[in-house]
Amino acid sequence: SAVISQKPSRDICQRGTSLTIQCQVDSQVTMMFWYRQQPGQSLTLIATANQGSEATYESGFVIDKFPISRPNLTFSTLTVSNMSPEDSSIYLCSDRHQGSYGYTFGSGTRLTVV
Amino acid sequence: GENVEQHPSTLSVQEGDSAVIKCTYSDSASNYFPWYKQELGKRPQLIIDIRSNVGEKKDQRIAVTLNKTAKHFSLHITETQPEDSAVYFCAASNPLGSGSARQLTFGSGTQLTVLP
């Protein structure tokens, strides 16, 4: 399975600012996803990152708030924009290889907005 | 879209006893059902998965059963140990399908506590 490097691992940010989270995969993958995990909760899909085109967002998540880039098959970024304390959460990237059933997760970014 | 329900939300067992966590799914097109273990502050780790072409899969103390007709699947942990304490998530998807079916949809999680 792929190895995903995610950074930063944690950050404390001021409200109104933005944070960009990066994920790098060690081999080419078909699909990359971004999840949010609020404290004590399950994982909620934010969007599917599409290579070279706009991400596909889930209900309740919009591009202006969570812009996503995926310039190639091994790298993606998620930006949390104009942050408020409600954005405090863990953000995780995930991937799946072509023809494979398994999904792998990055180590997560613990974001605290003050 | 897919909807996955998971029960119970918390489960406490004595060391050495068995633990069972149950999930149901809604989309009959789903054909891949992984289980993840998440320890505090860490990423979800795949512990076992099952595809819809089999009804049961076992790996040492962990087993998963799948009933496609009833659309439910279960995680069984035998001879539990304190290090099994964690949050367990079930999930469902159709990885080789199209559109949103390829996404992993997670259950709400079960906090398992194994008491020594």
Side-chain angles (χ1 to χ4, degrees):
Chain A
S1 61
V3 174
I4 305 178
S5 299
Q6 182 175 345
K7 60 180 180 181
S9 58
R10 60 179 62 230
D11 207 341
I12 301 173
C13 301
Q14 296 291 324
R15 67 177 68 200
T17 63
S18 297
L19 175 71
T20 295
I21 302 167
Q22 299 181 3
C23 272
Q24 177 75 53
V25 188
D26 66 347
S27 56
Q28 293 188 350
V29 294
T30 302
M31 305 194 74
M32 293 184 75
F33 306 92
W34 287 95
Y35 288 86
R36 182 175 72 184
Q37 187 175 26
Q38 295 180 305
Q41 302 296 313
S42 184
L43 286 79
T44 301
L45 183 66
I46 297 171
T48 301
N50 300 309
Q51 190 228 340
S53 65
E54 191 171 291
T56 304
Y57 289 84
E58 297 303 302
S59 176
F61 298 96
V62 295
I63 188 171
D64 289 347
K65 177 67 175 177
F66 298 101
I68 288 170
S69 76
R70 190 179 172 193
N72 55 55
L73 289 174
T74 64
F75 184 77
S76 180
T77 67
L78 167 75
T79 299
V80 186
S81 302
N82 188 24
M83 289 183 286
S84 66
E86 292 72 35
D87 295 320
S88 297
S89 190
I90 297 173
Y91 294 85
L92 297 120
C93 60
S94 174
D95 73 22
R96 184 177 67 79
H97 281 261
Q98 184 175 8
S100 166
Y101 277 68
Y103 299 75
T104 307
F105 286 88
S107 54
T109 297
R110 182 179 295 274
L111 171 62
T112 302
V113 183
V114 298
Chain B
E2 177 66 278
N3 181 51
V4 177
E5 296 191 357
Q6 181 172 347
H7 300 281
S9 56
T10 62
L11 178 61
S12 292
V13 299
Q14 290 293 137
E15 182 176 0
D17 287 350
S18 296
V20 180
I21 303 170
K22 298 182 178 182
C23 289
T24 61
Y25 62 100
S26 62
D27 189 348
S28 57
S30 290
N31 57 12
Y32 176 66
F33 308 94
W35 286 88
Y36 290 88
K37 175 183 181 182
Q38 188 176 33
E39 296 175 315
L40 192 62
K42 297 189 176 180
R43 78 186 81 189
Q45 294 278 8
L46 178 70
I47 56 171
I48 195 167
D49 58 10
I50 190 168
R51 299 187 197 179
S52 59
N53 57 347
V54 298
E56 184 174 359
K57 183 177 178 180
K58 189 173 182 179
D59 182 4
Q60 299 183 348
R61 297 186 296 109
I62 296 174
V64 57
T65 59
L66 171 66
N67 183 327
K68 285 179 57 180
T69 303
K71 297 199 189 77
H72 67 71
F73 57 112
S74 300
L75 177 71
H76 304 253
I77 306 175
T78 59
E79 301 172 19
T80 53
Q81 302 165 3
E83 50 266 37
D84 293 329
S85 297
V87 179
Y88 291 81
F89 292 99
C90 63
S93 78
N94 181 352
L96 305 184
S98 61
S100 63
R102 296 175 294 179
Q103 304 160 3
L104 264 182
T105 301
F106 283 85
S108 54
T110 298
Q111 173 68 62
L112 173 65
T113 303
V114 180
L115 305 169

